[in-house]
Amino acid sequence: GCSTDWDGLTCWPRATFGEVVKVPCPRIFEEITNIHGSFLQRNCTQEAYWSEPFPPYTVACGFDEGSSKGPEDQKSYYSAFWRVYTAGYAASVTSLITALIVFAAFRKFHCTRNYIHMHLFVSFILRAIAVFIKDAVLFADETMDHCLMSTVACKAAVAFFQFSILANFFWLLIEGIYLQTLLLLTFVSDRQYVWWFIFTGWGGPTAVMFAWVLTRIHRQNTGCWDDDENGVLLWIIKGPILLTVLINFVIFINVIRILVHKLKSQEGGGSHSSHFVRLAKSTLLLIPLFGVHYIVFAFFPESTGLEARLYIELGLGSFQGFVVALLYCFSNAEVSSK
């Protein structure tokens, strides 16, 4: 019969001679046209050749000849979008590496607060690198047969990408926990908590990824692990991330409550208070900024609101590292004085 075939848009499964195969339109077309439930068909001929899809993509999936948003236009759109988020991640990596060098070069900045910031910077750098690696491995070759692509390299790229996202949220949680620790344990040295923070910030994502990789290997070892047919396995990653976001929002509310109380009682003062206020402003801004969008999309299927996801998670998300470096380093009065 006919072997599996990738026609550039859809993966067609194996078929016997004379068999007619029916598959749904690609999800991306459904997002564009809002036409759902349409199908394409191909016939496996006696000569072991696949026939052309019928009806054609332009008809079956909602594109007419006058459509201004056909497949080629959509390809051009994603190509432009790729350039935008690539520039965003490049700007983030450049600013974060600069911030790391600044904090590492001057002994004045060697303190628990900045050590935690530096780990957060590294998590964002890893996220940007993971996106570049994933694009290079999965999407660099347009002629690649995505029906058969299931290599160790592409699975490792996806796993590394998921790990970097987990590390991002875990270290943002550490920032929130550290902020609350400063408030509640004023007279206790914060240095004794550094190793616990490091263990949690990197150990948590590592444990989650280990569980996810083992589950994918034994339960759903298909493709490049960038698909999830039933959406259940992805909750091994989504669950811990949502938990960190929810804990951070509890910390967010509690820190605001404590700050209001301290301001009313006129506690604190001096340079230490000034450092703390700056840290509080930065952290309290990041918690809702990075957490809200994840909660909004977490409970919907991956195909829902695809363009909105792209704008928020890739377009705006690619500049998150730059925002972090700006808040914690470049807008810091001590850094500016240097």
Side-chain angles (χ1 to χ4, degrees), residues 30-331:
E30 294 183 358
E31 290 288 330
I32 299 166
T33 63
N34 292 319
I35 297 176
H36 303 280
S38 298
F39 288 87
L40 299 152
Q41 298 182 74
R42 288 179 85 180
N43 181 35
C44 177
T45 66
Q46 292 295 333
E47 293 79 21
Y49 291 117
W50 282 105
S51 67
E52 289 297 316
F54 59 92
Y57 279 97
T58 54
V59 176
C61 302
F63 292 107
D64 54 36
E65 292 183 358
S67 173
S68 60
K69 215 174 185 184
E72 288 302 316
D73 296 312
Q74 195 66 15
K75 183 178 179 181
S76 176
Y77 165 78
Y78 283 120
S79 177
F81 197 80
W82 173 82
R83 286 192 287 270
V84 170
Y85 77 73
T86 298
Y89 279 118
S92 291
V93 169
T94 303
S95 59
L96 288 165
I97 290 176
T98 304
L100 280 174
I101 293 172
V102 170
F103 281 159
F106 298 96
R107 291 185 60 84
K108 181 180 180 181
F109 301 136
H110 292 188
C111 60
T112 303
R113 179 180 72 249
N114 289 336
Y115 290 151
I116 293 174
H117 295 342
M118 291 168 76
H119 282 280
L120 182 64
F121 295 168
V122 171
S123 74
F124 274 100
I125 292 172
L126 290 179
R127 183 170 180 171
I129 292 172
V131 170
F132 294 146
I133 293 174
K134 186 182 176 186
D135 282 355
V137 174
L138 271 69
F139 308 116
D141 186 359
E142 294 183 1
T143 64
M144 185 173 293
D145 189 341
H146 286 268
C147 295
L148 304 176
M149 190 178 184
S150 184
T151 63
V152 173
C154 73
K155 291 174 182 177
V158 171
F160 179 48
F161 174 73
Q162 299 288 12
F163 172 81
S164 67
I165 294 174
L166 276 163
N168 253 178
F169 282 97
F170 268 79
W171 275 103
L172 185 59
L173 174 62
I174 298 300
E175 289 281 358
I177 292 173
Y178 175 69
L179 177 60
Q180 183 163 266
T181 302
L182 283 182
L183 280 168
L184 298 177
L185 303 175
T186 308
F187 302 105
V188 178
S189 173
D190 53 15
R191 286 183 179 272
Q192 63 182 290
Y193 297 101
V194 171
W195 288 109
W196 284 106
F197 290 149
I198 293 174
F199 177 78
T200 304
W202 295 113
T206 301
V208 173
M209 283 309 303
F210 186 71
W212 182 74
V213 168
L214 286 180
T215 307
R216 289 290 316 213
I217 291 173
H218 294 291
R219 294 292 183 88
Q220 195 178 326
N221 193 14
T222 58
C224 284
W225 293 356
D226 57 340
D227 60 333
D228 192 358
E229 295 170 0
N230 49 32
V232 175
L233 297 186
L234 196 57
W235 276 98
I236 297 175
I237 295 174
K238 280 185 177 181
I241 291 178
L242 278 176
L243 183 61
T244 65
V245 171
L246 292 173
I247 293 173
N248 251 344
F249 271 104
V250 172
I251 292 174
F252 176 78
I253 300 300
N254 193 42
V255 166
I256 290 177
R257 180 186 63 80
I258 296 172
L259 281 175
V260 170
H261 176 73
K262 282 183 175 288
L263 289 173
K264 286 183 178 179
S265 60
Q266 297 297 315
E267 290 184 10
S271 60
H272 181 270
S273 176
S274 175
H275 295 326
F276 172 74
V277 169
R278 283 198 296 270
L279 174 63
K281 286 180 180 178
S282 299
T283 306
L284 292 178
L285 177 62
L286 291 181
I287 288 173
L289 183 66
F290 291 175
V292 170
H293 81 276
Y294 197 88
I295 292 177
V296 170
F297 288 118
F299 297 98
F300 293 97
E302 292 295 305
S303 60
T304 303
L306 189 59
E307 291 200 11
R309 283 177 183 269
L310 287 173
Y311 277 113
I312 295 173
E313 295 183 2
L314 280 177
L316 298 179
S318 64
F319 290 94
Q320 285 181 346
F322 175 77
V323 173
V324 168
L326 185 66
L327 287 173
Y328 283 135
C329 183
F330 303 127
S331 63

